[in-house]
Amino acid sequence: MEVSSGASPRMNMHQLQKDGSEETHFQDFELESFDYNDSHNLQFYSMSAVEILRETARILRCNLWSFITIAAVLICPVSAILLSNVLVDQSIVKRLSTRLLLVAKSSGLPLRPLIRQLCHRFAEMAVSSATCFPLFITLSLLSRAAVVYSVDCTYSRKDVDGSKFLAMASKIWRRIVSTYLWSCMVIVGCLTLFFVLLITVCSTFLVLGFRPELNLYATMIVGIAFSVIFANAIIVCNIAVVISVLVDVSGPQALLRSSVLIRRQTQVGLLIFLGSTIGMTFIEGLFEHRVKTLSYGDGSSRIWEGPLLVIMYSFVVLIDLMMSAVFYYSCRSHGMEPSHGECLSILETATVSAESAGIP
C-alpha cells in the first residue's frame, strides 16, 4: 500500500545517519522502509492535535479496508458489550453505589443529586471494568496491536498482512500484556490516591467546622486537579502499549519511556484525550437515552439506533487508537526518545517470525 508524500510527516534520512556508531538494526530497517526518491525533503515534525487528526484520516484512507476489518472484528464486539452493560450486575452496582454514598456522607459531603449521580456512575464503571476485563486483555488489546501494526505498515509502505501480524502478535503478546497490566495498576493507583486525598480533605474540613458547601467546592477543586493528572496517566499508558508493540520493552520500562517521550507534547496528548473522551461520552449518553431508556415512542427505533451507535462508538475508538500511534511517531521523531540497541521494528519482528514459521 503506497502512501502519498504530500504534507504528511516522514523520517529525515540524514538525521538517522548522523551518528554511525549508534546505528541499530531498527534504524537500518527504517532507512530501508522509508527509501523514497525525495526522502531528503521529507521529515517527521512535531504535530498539533489537529495535524495528528488529519494524518490519522490520511492513514485511514490508505488502508481503509484493513482498519474497517479491525473495527468490525475486534472493536465492535467490545463496544456493544460496553454500551449495553450486558455483563454488569445492577445489584452489585447498587450496593457499591450505596457504600460510596455512605463514605461521602461520613466525610461531610452533602448528598446532592450530583454526588449521587457521580457515585452511581463510578460504581457502574468499576463493575463494568471488572466484568469486561477478559475482553479488554484479549480483543481490545489485540485491536490496539493491530492498529499499531497497520499504521507502521502504512508508514513503511508495506501491505497489511494478517498472517504476518498473527506471527508477530504471538511473539510479542507477553510483553504487550505485561505493559497493559502495569498500566491498569497505574490507573487503579491514581484512582485510589484520588479517593484517599478527597476523603482526607473533606474530613479535615468537617473537623474544622466548615460548612458542607465548602466541602463541595473543595471536592470540585480536587476533582479538577485530579482529572488533569488522570488524563496524563491515561496518555502515558496508551503510548506505553504502543511502545511495547513497536519496541522490545515492556512493563515499567515502557511506562518510563512513554513518560519521557511525551514530556514536551503533554498539551497535544491532553487535547487528543479530551476529544476522544468527549466523543465516547456523547455516544454513551445517546445510547443510554435512546436505546437503554425508553423515553419516547414505542421503542421500535432501537432496532437500528442501537447498532448505529455501536458502529459510531467503535469508529471513535478506532480513531483514538490510530491517533495514539501517530502521536507516538510524532514524539519519537522529534528527538525526544533516544535510540537504543534493543529497538526492533514491528515489521522486522514480523518478518523474522514469519520466516521461522515458514510463512511466505
Side-chain angles (χ1 to χ4, degrees):
M1 180 67 65
E2 293 190 356
V3 183
S4 60
S5 59
S8 60
R10 294 290 185 272
M11 279 288 185
N12 189 319
M13 299 298 98
H14 302 292
Q15 291 179 354
L16 285 175
Q17 295 174 331
K18 65 180 180 181
D19 191 353
S21 62
E22 295 182 358
E23 285 186 352
T24 63
H25 296 295
F26 178 60
Q27 291 173 317
D28 293 338
F29 186 79
E30 286 183 327
L31 289 172
E32 179 183 355
S33 299
F34 291 92
D35 185 20
Y36 300 112
N37 294 330
D38 56 345
S39 59
H40 60 281
N41 294 324
L42 299 174
Q43 61 180 353
F44 272 109
Y45 58 91
S46 178
M47 293 185 285
S48 66
V50 175
E51 290 171 330
I52 288 177
L53 180 60
R54 291 174 179 171
E55 178 73 0
T56 300
R58 188 192 65 81
I59 294 173
L60 182 62
R61 292 196 302 269
C62 289
N63 276 324
L64 180 61
W65 289 109
S66 299
F67 289 111
I68 288 179
T69 302
I70 294 171
V73 176
L74 299 175
I75 300 178
C76 276
V78 180
S79 300
I81 294 175
L82 279 178
L83 289 176
S84 62
N85 283 336
V86 67
L87 299 180
V88 176
D89 190 344
Q90 293 299 325
S91 61
I92 299 178
V93 173
K94 187 175 181 180
R95 288 199 298 268
L96 181 57
S97 177
T98 302
R99 294 193 178 187
L100 290 175
L101 287 173
L102 291 176
V103 173
K105 184 177 181 181
S106 64
S107 301
L109 282 174
L111 299 183
R112 295 185 176 181
L114 176 62
I115 300 297
R116 295 179 182 274
Q117 291 177 4
L118 289 176
C119 289
H120 178 77
R121 178 61 177 167
F122 178 80
E124 191 174 51
M125 289 177 59
V127 175
S128 177
S129 299
T131 55
C132 296
F133 185 77
L135 290 175
F136 294 154
I137 206 170
T138 52
L139 290 180
S140 182
L141 200 54
L142 190 61
S143 67
R144 289 172 180 262
V147 167
V148 175
Y149 169 79
S150 299
V151 172
D152 186 84
C153 286
T154 303
Y155 279 137
S156 301
R157 301 184 70 179
K158 303 288 185 178
D159 292 331
V160 178
D161 192 323
S163 60
K164 287 185 178 181
F165 168 70
L166 293 177
M168 175 274 300
S170 64
K171 298 281 290 185
I172 68 173
W173 185 250
R174 181 175 297 179
R175 73 172 187 242
I176 300 176
V177 171
S178 174
T179 303
Y180 182 76
L181 292 177
W182 274 93
S183 300
C184 291
M185 287 190 287
V186 169
I187 293 173
V188 172
C190 288
L191 290 173
T192 303
L193 180 62
F194 167 69
F195 281 108
V196 170
L197 180 62
L198 183 62
I199 293 173
T200 302
V201 171
C202 293
S203 299
T204 302
F205 275 45
L206 180 63
V207 171
L208 294 177
F210 290 104
R211 294 181 301 174
E213 289 75 11
L214 292 178
N215 260 352
L216 185 60
Y217 295 147
T219 301
M220 293 174 60
I221 294 174
V222 173
I224 293 174
F226 168 76
S227 63
V228 177
I229 298 174
F230 186 72
N232 277 281
I234 294 292
I235 296 168
V236 169
C237 293
N238 288 340
I239 301 301
V241 174
V242 176
I243 290 175
S244 67
V245 174
L246 294 172
V247 183
D248 190 14
V249 294
S250 62
Q253 293 180 348
L255 291 169
L256 178 60
R257 183 172 296 189
S258 174
S259 62
V260 173
L261 182 68
I262 69 172
R263 67 179 183 272
R264 298 179 187 175
Q265 294 277 37
T266 303
Q267 184 178 2
V268 177
L270 288 175
L271 289 175
I272 293 174
F273 174 80
L274 180 62
S276 301
T277 302
I278 291 175
M280 294 178 191
T281 304
F282 178 72
I283 297 175
E284 288 174 0
L286 286 177
F287 194 91
E288 180 75 25
H289 176 68
R290 303 187 68 87
V291 178
K292 295 171 66 175
T293 303
L294 183 59
S295 57
Y296 65 98
D298 58 356
S300 59
S301 60
R302 292 178 176 178
I303 298 175
W304 63 270
E305 284 185 348
L308 177 61
L309 290 174
V310 169
I311 293 174
M312 292 172 60
Y313 189 87
S314 301
F315 181 76
V316 174
V317 172
L318 175 65
I319 294 299
D320 179 58
L321 296 179
M322 294 178 64
M323 291 181 71
S324 295
V326 175
F327 182 50
Y328 162 78
Y329 279 106
S330 173
C331 293
R332 188 194 66 179
S333 59
H334 195 241
M336 286 179 285
E337 184 187 41
S339 298
H340 294 274
E342 72 274 8
C343 297
L344 292 175
S345 171
I346 184 175
L347 292 177
E348 186 176 11
T349 304
T351 302
V352 173
S353 303
E355 290 176 353
S356 62
I359 298 175

